Amino acid sequence: MTSSDHDVVSDDPEAWVVGMADALRRAGVAVGIGQALACRNALAAVDDTDADDRYWAARLTLVADVADLAVFERVFRVVAGDVNDESPSRRDVSAVVDAGSDRAGAGGGADDEQVVVGAGASVRERLRHRRFTEASADERAAIDELFDQLRVSVPHRTSRRTRPGRAGVLDVARTLERAMTTDGELVERAWRRRMTTPRRLVVLLDVSGSMAPYARALLRFAIAARRTAQRQASRRVEVFAFGTRLTRLSDELARRDVDAAIAAAAQRVVDWDGGTRIGASIDELVRTWGPRGVLRGSVVVICSDGLERGDPQLLGDATARLARHAHRIVWVNPLAGDERYEPVQRGIAAAMASVDLLLPGHDFASIEGLVETLRTLR
Protein backbone atom coordinates (compact mmCIF):
# COMPACT_ATOMS: atom_id res chain seq x y z
CA MET A 1 0.00 0.00 0.00
CA THR A 2 1.38 3.37 -0.98
CA SER A 3 0.41 6.92 -0.14
CA SER A 4 -1.33 7.16 -3.50
CA ASP A 5 -3.84 4.53 -2.47
CA HIS A 6 -5.69 6.96 -0.21
CA ASP A 7 -6.04 10.69 -0.03
CA VAL A 8 -4.40 12.17 3.07
CA VAL A 9 -7.05 13.99 5.01
CA SER A 10 -6.67 17.31 6.79
CA ASP A 11 -5.82 17.86 10.43
CA ASP A 12 -9.46 18.58 11.20
CA PRO A 13 -10.51 15.74 13.58
CA GLU A 14 -13.86 15.15 11.93
CA ALA A 15 -12.36 15.06 8.44
CA TRP A 16 -9.62 12.78 9.77
CA VAL A 17 -12.19 10.28 11.09
CA VAL A 18 -14.16 10.34 7.84
CA GLY A 19 -11.00 9.74 5.80
CA MET A 20 -9.80 6.97 8.10
CA ALA A 21 -13.15 5.18 8.07
CA ASP A 22 -13.40 5.46 4.30
CA ALA A 23 -9.86 4.12 3.83
CA LEU A 24 -10.57 1.15 6.10
CA ARG A 25 -13.77 0.34 4.19
CA ARG A 26 -11.90 0.41 0.88
CA ALA A 27 -9.30 -1.90 2.42
CA GLY A 28 -12.03 -4.40 3.31
CA VAL A 29 -12.66 -3.54 6.98
CA ALA A 30 -16.30 -3.08 7.96
CA VAL A 31 -16.72 0.29 9.72
CA GLY A 32 -20.17 1.44 10.73
CA ILE A 33 -21.53 4.95 11.26
CA GLY A 34 -21.73 4.30 15.00
CA GLN A 35 -18.04 3.36 15.08
CA ALA A 36 -17.11 6.57 13.24
CA LEU A 37 -19.11 8.63 15.75
CA ALA A 38 -17.44 6.80 18.63
CA CYS A 39 -14.03 7.59 17.15
CA ARG A 40 -14.93 11.27 16.81
CA ASN A 41 -16.11 11.33 20.42
CA ALA A 42 -12.88 9.65 21.54
CA LEU A 43 -10.78 12.26 19.72
CA ALA A 44 -12.80 14.99 21.41
CA ALA A 45 -11.83 13.57 24.80
CA VAL A 46 -8.07 13.24 24.12
CA ASP A 47 -5.33 15.23 22.41
CA ASP A 48 -6.24 14.74 18.74
CA THR A 49 -2.91 16.25 17.66
CA ASP A 50 -0.97 13.50 19.41
CA ALA A 51 -0.13 10.51 17.19
CA ASP A 52 -0.50 7.96 20.01
CA ASP A 53 -3.88 9.34 21.06
CA ARG A 54 -5.14 9.27 17.47
CA TYR A 55 -3.87 5.73 17.03
CA TRP A 56 -5.59 4.35 20.14
CA ALA A 57 -8.80 6.34 19.57
CA ALA A 58 -9.07 4.87 16.07
CA ARG A 59 -7.99 1.35 17.00
CA LEU A 60 -10.38 1.04 19.96
CA THR A 61 -13.39 2.31 18.01
CA LEU A 62 -12.92 1.45 14.33
CA VAL A 63 -11.66 -2.15 14.63
CA ALA A 64 -14.15 -4.75 15.84
CA ASP A 65 -12.32 -7.89 14.67
CA VAL A 66 -8.78 -8.78 15.77
CA ALA A 67 -8.18 -10.20 12.28
CA ASP A 68 -8.42 -6.64 10.89
CA LEU A 69 -5.61 -5.26 13.06
CA ALA A 70 -2.89 -5.84 10.44
CA VAL A 71 -4.92 -3.98 7.82
CA PHE A 72 -5.62 -1.21 10.32
CA GLU A 73 -1.89 -0.78 11.03
CA ARG A 74 -1.09 -0.33 7.33
CA VAL A 75 -4.05 1.97 6.63
CA PHE A 76 -3.31 4.11 9.69
CA ARG A 77 0.30 4.72 8.64
CA VAL A 78 -0.78 5.74 5.13
CA VAL A 79 -3.89 7.79 5.87
CA ALA A 80 -2.97 9.38 9.19
CA GLY A 81 0.06 11.13 7.74
CA ASP A 82 1.37 12.01 11.20
CA VAL A 83 3.36 8.88 12.14
CA ASN A 84 6.53 7.19 10.88
CA ASP A 85 6.67 3.75 9.30
CA GLU A 86 7.06 2.33 12.79
CA SER A 87 3.84 1.96 14.71
CA PRO A 88 3.30 4.41 17.56
CA SER A 89 4.46 3.46 21.00
CA ARG A 90 2.02 0.98 22.50
CA ARG A 91 1.15 2.76 25.70
CA ASP A 92 -1.14 1.05 28.10
CA VAL A 93 -4.66 1.48 26.76
CA SER A 94 -6.00 2.33 30.19
CA ALA A 95 -3.61 5.29 30.38
CA VAL A 96 -5.12 6.75 27.22
CA VAL A 97 -8.65 6.22 28.50
CA ASP A 98 -7.81 7.74 31.89
CA ALA A 99 -6.14 10.72 30.22
CA GLY A 100 -9.19 11.25 28.10
CA SER A 101 -11.43 11.12 31.15
CA ASP A 102 -9.25 13.67 32.97
CA ARG A 103 -9.33 16.06 30.02
CA ALA A 104 -13.08 15.70 29.68
CA GLY A 105 -13.57 16.48 33.36
CA ALA A 106 -11.17 19.41 33.45
CA GLY A 107 -12.08 21.05 30.20
CA GLY A 108 -15.57 22.21 31.06
CA GLY A 109 -18.14 19.68 29.90
CA ALA A 110 -20.18 22.22 27.95
CA ASP A 111 -17.49 22.72 25.29
CA ASP A 112 -16.85 18.99 24.93
CA GLU A 113 -20.57 18.32 24.60
CA GLN A 114 -20.83 20.98 21.93
CA VAL A 115 -18.08 19.29 19.87
CA VAL A 116 -19.71 15.86 20.17
CA VAL A 117 -23.15 17.14 19.23
CA GLY A 118 -21.69 18.99 16.26
CA ALA A 119 -19.99 15.85 15.00
CA GLY A 120 -23.22 13.87 15.30
CA ALA A 121 -25.15 16.56 13.48
CA SER A 122 -22.59 16.61 10.68
CA VAL A 123 -22.80 12.84 10.21
CA ARG A 124 -26.59 13.04 10.18
CA GLU A 125 -26.42 15.79 7.56
CA ARG A 126 -24.28 13.59 5.31
CA LEU A 127 -26.72 10.72 5.76
CA ARG A 128 -29.64 12.99 4.86
CA HIS A 129 -28.06 13.76 1.50
CA ARG A 130 -26.66 10.30 0.76
CA ARG A 131 -28.43 8.93 -2.31
CA PHE A 132 -30.21 5.67 -1.58
CA THR A 133 -28.41 4.08 -4.52
CA GLU A 134 -24.97 5.01 -3.17
CA ALA A 135 -25.41 4.16 0.51
CA SER A 136 -23.38 1.33 2.00
CA ALA A 137 -24.98 -1.37 4.14
CA ASP A 138 -24.04 0.51 7.33
CA GLU A 139 -25.34 3.79 5.93
CA ARG A 140 -28.60 2.15 4.91
CA ALA A 141 -29.01 0.89 8.47
CA ALA A 142 -28.38 4.41 9.80
CA ILE A 143 -30.84 5.88 7.29
CA ASP A 144 -33.41 3.33 8.44
CA GLU A 145 -33.01 4.78 11.94
CA LEU A 146 -33.78 8.23 10.52
CA PHE A 147 -36.95 6.82 8.98
CA ASP A 148 -37.91 5.38 12.38
CA GLN A 149 -37.82 8.95 13.74
CA LEU A 150 -39.78 10.42 10.81
CA ARG A 151 -43.13 12.00 11.67
CA VAL A 152 -45.66 12.34 8.85
CA SER A 153 -48.71 14.57 9.22
CA VAL A 154 -51.60 13.75 6.94
CA PRO A 155 -53.03 16.72 4.97
CA HIS A 156 -56.10 18.46 6.39
CA ARG A 157 -59.05 20.21 4.85
CA THR A 158 -61.33 22.92 6.19
CA SER A 159 -64.72 21.48 7.11
CA ARG A 160 -68.09 23.19 6.82
CA ARG A 161 -68.75 22.35 10.43
CA THR A 162 -67.84 24.87 13.11
CA ARG A 163 -67.04 24.80 16.79
CA PRO A 164 -66.55 27.44 19.50
CA GLY A 165 -63.35 29.41 19.17
CA ARG A 166 -61.62 32.63 20.15
CA ALA A 167 -62.03 34.12 16.68
CA GLY A 168 -63.86 33.50 13.45
CA VAL A 169 -67.55 34.04 12.75
CA LEU A 170 -69.84 35.65 15.33
CA ASP A 171 -71.98 33.05 17.11
CA VAL A 172 -75.23 35.00 17.40
CA ALA A 173 -77.11 32.42 19.47
CA ARG A 174 -74.43 32.05 22.14
CA THR A 175 -73.78 35.81 22.17
CA LEU A 176 -77.47 36.51 22.90
CA GLU A 177 -77.52 33.78 25.52
CA ARG A 178 -74.63 35.44 27.32
CA ALA A 179 -76.35 38.83 27.02
CA MET A 180 -79.32 37.49 29.02
CA THR A 181 -77.06 37.28 32.08
CA THR A 182 -76.06 40.96 31.74
CA ASP A 183 -79.55 42.50 31.29
CA GLY A 184 -79.32 42.46 27.50
CA GLU A 185 -75.93 44.18 27.28
CA LEU A 186 -73.55 42.61 24.74
CA VAL A 187 -70.61 42.48 27.12
CA GLU A 188 -69.01 39.31 25.79
CA ARG A 189 -69.26 38.03 22.25
CA ALA A 190 -69.05 34.40 21.27
CA TRP A 191 -67.31 33.12 18.16
CA ARG A 192 -67.25 29.99 16.06
CA ARG A 193 -64.52 28.78 13.76
CA ARG A 194 -64.53 26.19 11.04
CA MET A 195 -63.08 22.79 11.92
CA THR A 196 -60.33 20.99 10.04
CA THR A 197 -60.53 17.29 9.28
CA PRO A 198 -57.81 14.96 7.99
CA ARG A 199 -57.77 14.09 4.33
CA ARG A 200 -57.11 10.56 3.22
CA LEU A 201 -53.52 9.96 2.15
CA VAL A 202 -53.07 7.33 -0.57
CA VAL A 203 -49.51 6.16 -1.28
CA LEU A 204 -48.71 4.25 -4.50
CA LEU A 205 -45.31 2.56 -4.45
CA ASP A 206 -43.60 1.41 -7.64
CA VAL A 207 -41.77 -1.84 -6.80
CA SER A 208 -40.63 -2.69 -10.32
CA GLY A 209 -37.04 -3.55 -11.21
CA SER A 210 -36.05 0.02 -12.09
CA MET A 211 -37.24 1.22 -8.67
CA ALA A 212 -35.54 -1.55 -6.67
CA PRO A 213 -32.81 0.73 -5.19
CA TYR A 214 -35.48 3.09 -3.82
CA ALA A 215 -38.42 0.78 -3.03
CA ARG A 216 -37.32 -0.15 0.51
CA ALA A 217 -36.75 3.47 1.53
CA LEU A 218 -40.08 4.60 0.09
CA LEU A 219 -41.78 1.67 1.80
CA ARG A 220 -40.35 2.93 5.09
CA PHE A 221 -41.85 6.35 4.32
CA ALA A 222 -45.25 4.67 3.89
CA ILE A 223 -44.81 2.82 7.19
CA ALA A 224 -43.91 6.09 8.93
CA ALA A 225 -47.02 7.70 7.45
CA ARG A 226 -49.27 4.98 8.85
CA ARG A 227 -47.48 4.82 12.20
CA THR A 228 -47.31 8.54 12.97
CA ALA A 229 -50.63 9.72 11.56
CA GLN A 230 -52.93 11.10 14.23
CA ARG A 231 -54.99 8.43 15.91
CA GLN A 232 -58.22 9.57 14.33
CA ALA A 233 -56.49 9.75 10.94
CA SER A 234 -54.43 6.54 11.01
CA ARG A 235 -57.14 4.63 9.17
CA ARG A 236 -57.06 7.30 6.48
CA VAL A 237 -53.64 6.28 5.18
CA GLU A 238 -53.86 3.69 2.40
CA VAL A 239 -50.80 2.11 0.82
CA PHE A 240 -50.67 0.24 -2.49
CA ALA A 241 -47.75 -1.32 -4.36
CA PHE A 242 -47.60 -1.92 -8.07
CA GLY A 243 -45.32 -3.42 -10.66
CA THR A 244 -47.40 -5.25 -13.20
CA ARG A 245 -50.41 -5.43 -10.86
CA LEU A 246 -51.90 -3.48 -7.95
CA THR A 247 -51.56 -4.82 -4.39
CA ARG A 248 -53.02 -3.23 -1.24
CA LEU A 249 -50.51 -3.19 1.66
CA SER A 250 -52.34 -1.14 4.29
CA ASP A 251 -52.99 -4.10 6.59
CA GLU A 252 -49.46 -5.52 6.31
CA LEU A 253 -47.88 -2.14 7.10
CA ALA A 254 -50.06 -1.65 10.19
CA ARG A 255 -47.82 -3.97 12.22
CA ARG A 256 -45.88 -2.46 15.10
CA ASP A 257 -42.56 -4.04 14.15
CA VAL A 258 -41.15 -2.29 11.07
CA ASP A 259 -39.06 -5.26 9.89
CA ALA A 260 -42.04 -7.58 10.25
CA ALA A 261 -44.16 -5.12 8.27
CA ILE A 262 -41.60 -4.98 5.46
CA ALA A 263 -41.31 -8.77 5.39
CA ALA A 264 -45.09 -9.14 5.25
CA ALA A 265 -45.30 -6.59 2.43
CA ALA A 266 -42.55 -8.34 0.46
CA GLN A 267 -44.37 -11.65 0.83
CA ARG A 268 -47.65 -10.07 -0.23
CA VAL A 269 -46.30 -8.43 -3.40
CA VAL A 270 -45.76 -11.14 -6.01
CA ASP A 271 -44.40 -8.83 -8.73
CA TRP A 272 -41.63 -7.18 -6.71
CA ASP A 273 -38.58 -6.30 -8.83
CA GLY A 274 -40.44 -7.15 -12.03
CA GLY A 275 -41.95 -5.17 -14.89
CA THR A 276 -43.85 -1.88 -14.81
CA ARG A 277 -47.46 -1.25 -15.77
CA ILE A 278 -48.15 2.12 -14.17
CA GLY A 279 -51.16 3.02 -16.30
CA ALA A 280 -52.89 -0.32 -15.79
CA SER A 281 -52.24 -0.18 -12.02
CA ILE A 282 -53.64 3.36 -11.63
CA ASP A 283 -56.60 2.37 -13.80
CA GLU A 284 -57.28 -0.59 -11.49
CA LEU A 285 -56.98 1.69 -8.45
CA VAL A 286 -59.59 4.10 -9.85
CA ARG A 287 -61.99 1.36 -10.97
CA THR A 288 -61.73 -0.74 -7.80
CA TRP A 289 -61.24 1.79 -5.01
CA GLY A 290 -62.78 4.92 -6.52
CA PRO A 291 -66.38 3.74 -6.06
CA ARG A 292 -65.59 2.87 -2.42
CA GLY A 293 -64.79 6.49 -1.62
CA VAL A 294 -61.13 5.82 -0.82
CA LEU A 295 -59.91 8.36 -3.37
CA ARG A 296 -62.53 11.08 -2.85
CA GLY A 297 -60.82 14.29 -1.73
CA SER A 298 -57.59 12.43 -1.00
CA VAL A 299 -53.97 13.40 -1.55
CA VAL A 300 -52.37 10.72 -3.73
CA VAL A 301 -48.59 10.26 -3.60
CA ILE A 302 -47.22 8.24 -6.52
CA CYS A 303 -43.65 7.06 -5.94
CA SER A 304 -42.26 6.00 -9.29
CA ASP A 305 -39.58 6.81 -11.86
CA GLY A 306 -42.29 6.96 -14.54
CA LEU A 307 -40.60 4.39 -16.80
CA GLU A 308 -43.79 2.92 -18.24
CA ARG A 309 -43.56 -0.30 -20.24
CA GLY A 310 -47.24 -0.30 -21.11
CA ASP A 311 -49.35 2.12 -23.13
CA PRO A 312 -48.50 5.76 -22.23
CA GLN A 313 -51.96 6.83 -23.37
CA LEU A 314 -53.53 4.52 -20.79
CA LEU A 315 -51.34 6.11 -18.10
CA GLY A 316 -52.41 9.61 -19.16
CA ASP A 317 -56.11 8.68 -19.19
CA ALA A 318 -55.92 6.80 -15.87
CA THR A 319 -54.12 9.69 -14.16
CA ALA A 320 -56.73 12.13 -15.47
CA ARG A 321 -59.53 9.99 -14.00
CA LEU A 322 -57.61 9.75 -10.73
CA ALA A 323 -57.34 13.54 -10.63
CA ARG A 324 -61.13 13.85 -10.81
CA HIS A 325 -61.38 11.85 -7.57
CA ALA A 326 -58.36 13.20 -5.69
CA HIS A 327 -57.71 16.61 -4.19
CA ARG A 328 -54.03 16.64 -5.18
CA ILE A 329 -51.65 14.26 -6.96
CA VAL A 330 -48.00 14.40 -5.87
CA TRP A 331 -45.51 12.45 -7.99
CA VAL A 332 -42.28 11.51 -6.18
CA ASN A 333 -39.61 10.61 -8.73
CA PRO A 334 -36.09 9.61 -7.60
CA LEU A 335 -34.75 10.69 -11.00
CA ALA A 336 -35.85 14.25 -10.20
CA GLY A 337 -32.97 14.41 -7.73
CA ASP A 338 -30.77 15.28 -10.72
CA GLU A 339 -31.15 18.98 -11.53
CA ARG A 340 -30.83 18.13 -15.22
CA TYR A 341 -33.84 15.83 -15.12
CA GLU A 342 -36.90 16.66 -17.20
CA PRO A 343 -40.10 14.55 -17.24
CA VAL A 344 -39.96 13.81 -20.95
CA GLN A 345 -40.16 10.00 -20.86
CA ARG A 346 -43.26 8.67 -22.58
CA GLY A 347 -44.90 7.45 -19.39
CA ILE A 348 -44.50 10.34 -17.00
CA ALA A 349 -44.87 12.91 -19.79
CA ALA A 350 -48.37 11.56 -20.46
CA ALA A 351 -49.29 11.82 -16.78
CA MET A 352 -47.85 15.25 -15.99
CA ALA A 353 -50.93 17.11 -17.23
CA SER A 354 -52.86 15.72 -14.23
CA VAL A 355 -50.05 15.88 -11.64
CA ASP A 356 -50.03 18.85 -9.24
CA LEU A 357 -46.50 18.48 -7.86
CA LEU A 358 -43.35 16.68 -9.02
CA LEU A 359 -40.86 16.10 -6.17
CA PRO A 360 -37.54 14.24 -5.89
CA GLY A 361 -37.20 11.10 -3.78
CA HIS A 362 -33.55 10.05 -4.05
CA ASP A 363 -32.38 10.68 -0.48
CA PHE A 364 -33.71 11.19 3.04
CA ALA A 365 -33.61 14.99 2.70
CA SER A 366 -35.99 14.80 -0.27
CA ILE A 367 -38.34 12.58 1.77
CA GLU A 368 -38.30 15.24 4.49
CA GLY A 369 -39.24 17.76 1.81
CA LEU A 370 -42.17 15.55 0.83
CA VAL A 371 -43.30 15.36 4.47
CA GLU A 372 -43.16 19.15 4.78
CA THR A 373 -45.16 19.52 1.55
CA LEU A 374 -47.85 17.17 2.87
CA ARG A 375 -47.99 19.07 6.16
CA THR A 376 -48.66 22.41 4.45
CA LEU A 377 -50.83 21.12 1.61
CA ARG A 378 -54.41 22.39 1.66
Side-chain angles (χ1 to χ4, degrees):
M1 182 181 296
T2 65
S3 59
S4 61
D5 292 334
H6 300 292
D7 296 328
V8 178
V9 298
S10 68
D11 289 334
D12 176 69
E14 185 174 329
W16 190 90
V17 171
V18 172
M20 188 68 188
D22 181 63
L24 286 171
R25 292 190 189 105
R26 286 188 283 172
V29 179
V31 179
I33 297 297
Q35 290 174 274
L37 280 174
C39 184
R40 181 62 186 87
N41 294 349
L43 288 180
V46 298
D47 184 3
D48 56 31
T49 63
D50 182 87
D52 281 359
D53 282 2
R54 282 200 179 201
Y55 171 84
W56 285 112
R59 175 170 167 172
L60 291 173
T61 56
L62 300 182
V63 181
D65 190 339
V66 68
D68 294 328
L69 284 177
V71 178
F72 171 81
E73 296 283 351
R74 294 195 301 270
V75 172
F76 182 85
R77 288 198 296 270
V78 173
V79 177
D82 55 1
V83 296
N84 299 323
D85 288 340
E86 297 182 358
S87 300
S89 60
R90 302 302 192 257
R91 299 191 269 169
D92 181 29
V93 175
S94 61
V96 177
V97 175
D98 293 341
S101 300
D102 293 340
R103 288 188 181 94
D111 293 340
D112 293 336
E113 182 67 18
Q114 185 176 3
V115 173
V116 173
V117 171
S122 179
V123 172
R124 186 182 189 280
E125 189 65 18
R126 284 195 294 272
L127 285 174
R128 288 179 64 249
H129 294 282
R130 176 71 71 185
R131 298 184 71 94
F132 296 137
T133 54
E134 299 175 356
S136 65
D138 289 329
E139 289 173 333
R140 285 196 296 269
I143 292 173
D144 287 345
E145 294 180 4
L146 296 182
F147 273 106
D148 291 339
Q149 302 168 14
L150 190 65
R151 297 293 179 265
V152 182
S153 298
V154 296
H156 281 64
R157 65 178 178 86
T158 302
S159 172
R160 294 182 179 180
R161 296 184 177 182
T162 62
R163 65 179 180 183
R166 296 184 177 182
V169 180
L170 180 66
D171 188 337
V172 177
R174 290 177 59 232
T175 299
L176 292 177
E177 183 179 352
R178 291 179 179 181
M180 293 176 63
T181 62
T182 56
D183 296 329
E185 294 290 338
L186 298 179
V187 176
E188 184 180 1
R189 299 179 182 180
W191 306 90
R192 297 192 68 83
R193 61 182 180 88
R194 297 179 68 175
M195 299 173 57
T196 59
T197 58
R199 291 187 179 276
R200 192 181 300 275
L201 178 64
V202 179
V203 182
L204 291 177
L205 301 174
D206 186 344
V207 295
S208 63
S210 61
M211 282 290 291
Y214 307 98
R216 180 182 175 86
L218 294 172
L219 187 61
R220 280 189 167 268
F221 158 73
I223 292 174
R226 281 197 58 88
R227 185 185 68 248
T228 63
Q230 297 177 6
R231 179 172 299 180
Q232 66 270 25
S234 59
R235 293 190 300 273
R236 302 183 69 84
V237 178
E238 292 284 351
V239 183
F240 298 86
F242 68 87
T244 57
R245 55 186 293 184
L246 186 73
T247 305
R248 182 175 180 268
L249 297 179
S250 301
D251 294 337
E252 285 74 13
L253 300 187
R255 304 189 180 195
R256 285 181 173 271
D257 185 85
V258 175
D259 292 330
I262 293 177
Q267 185 175 6
R268 171 79 170 167
V269 179
V270 297
D271 54 344
W272 197 293
D273 203 14
T276 313
R277 295 290 185 271
I278 307 176
S281 299
I282 294 179
D283 181 65
E284 182 181 351
L285 175 72
V286 175
R287 288 187 293 102
T288 304
W289 296 93
R292 304 183 188 183
V294 171
L295 304 175
R296 187 184 306 119
S298 65
V299 173
V300 180
V301 177
I302 303 175
C303 303
S304 173
D305 54 12
L307 302 181
E308 172 67 291
R309 296 186 180 180
D311 183 6
Q313 185 62 43
L314 174 60
L315 174 56
D317 294 342
T319 308
R321 289 196 298 273
L322 175 62
R324 288 194 286 270
H325 288 271
H327 174 66
R328 292 283 189 274
I329 297 179
V330 180
W331 195 299
V332 177
N333 190 335
L335 302 181
D338 188 335
E339 59 183 12
R340 299 168 297 179
Y341 171 78
E342 294 183 5
V344 296
Q345 297 88 350
R346 292 192 311 156
I348 195 170
M352 284 307 296
S354 304
V355 173
D356 297 286
L357 291 171
L358 176 64
L359 300 177
H362 60 291
D363 58 15
F364 187 77
S366 63
I367 299 301
E368 288 179 319
L370 168 62
V371 171
E372 180 63 19
T373 298
L374 294 178
R375 186 184 68 82
T376 58
L377 198 60
R378 291 292 183 266

